Amino acid sequence: MAIKEIEGKLNHAEGNIGIVVSRWNHFITDKLRDGAVHSLKKHGYTDDAITIAYCPGSYEIPLVSQKMAESGKFDAVIAIGTVIRGSTTHYDFVAGSANSGVLHVNHTSGIPVIFGVITTENIEQAIERAGTKAGNKGEEAAMTAIEMISLLKQIESL
Ligand code: INI
């Protein structure tokens, strides 16, 4: 018996993608959304395979992600938000809730729910992750979604 090795592929578009975008810090989340869409299109997804749902803040992302994931209409959900610490302790609650909420949906819904929420100390760090010095985290999240869809489909057909 030979060892089976499997890995998600990035070279073909499979299924439908839901994207949840938080409107808080929208000057950053818009860029992350554009990065995700750009990446999906580069890999062959057409407009009608992509649905974008906007929610108020990152705290609301887990519920919207769960609704999308459990609808049976998507093969992956990409959660996009930006939480900036600034001077508020609210940050810890919002960032922690988004993280643990998305993790929970990722574990329970049966489809990949990708964490494209950036959490930074300040606006400069957020800008760096939204298409400047540190790349675009939305693009990376989309690539992760594509790879995970492919990997899960391969596991299902073992
Ligand atoms: N929501 C964010 O997505 N990012 C933030 O930086 C942020 N801050 O700083 O407060 C934020 N707050 C709103 C929060 O996500 C909820 O929408 C709100 O608490 C209502 O539930």
Side-chain angles (χ1 to χ4, degrees), residues 129-143:
R129 290 159 178 73
T132 59
K133 265 203 240 170
N136 185 312
K137 298 299 168 194
E139 269 188 47
E140 287 177 24
M143 304 270 279

Side-chain angles (χ1 to χ4, degrees), residues 11-134:
N11 57 0
H12 57 297
E14 285 183 87
N16 295 303
I17 309 279
I19 306 178
V20 182
V21 180
S22 153
R23 284 196 308 270
W24 250 84
N25 298 317
H26 70 88
F27 56 98
I28 300 291
T29 59
D30 287 352
K31 300 272 185 250
L32 299 174
R33 173 207 59 203
D34 292 348
V37 169
H38 173 75
S39 188
L40 292 173
K41 290 196 166 180
K42 205 165 73 183
H43 289 88
Y45 285 90
T46 54
D47 285 354
D48 58 1
I50 302 169
T51 302
I52 302 175
Y54 294 92
C55 67
S58 294
Y59 189 81
E60 284 71 39
I61 285 175
L63 177 60
V64 181
S65 300
Q66 184 180 38
K67 279 281 176 192
M68 285 188 117
E70 292 179 352
S71 71
K73 296 186 171 108
F74 304 102
D75 297 85
V77 171
I78 301 167
I80 288 177
T82 301
V83 194
I84 299 173
R85 186 186 293 277
S87 58
T88 167
T89 52
H90 197 51
Y91 167 93
D92 294 309
F93 299 117
V94 175
S97 302
N99 175 32
S100 59
V102 170
L103 178 68
H104 177 73
V105 185
N106 186 45
H107 285 168
T108 56
S109 69
I111 64 164
V113 180
I114 311 303
F115 194 63
V117 178
I118 59 173
T119 54
T120 66
E121 294 299 314
N122 52 50
I123 290 169
E124 287 71 28
Q125 288 176 355
I127 292 169
E128 279 176 16
R129 290 159 178 73
T132 59
K133 265 203 240 170

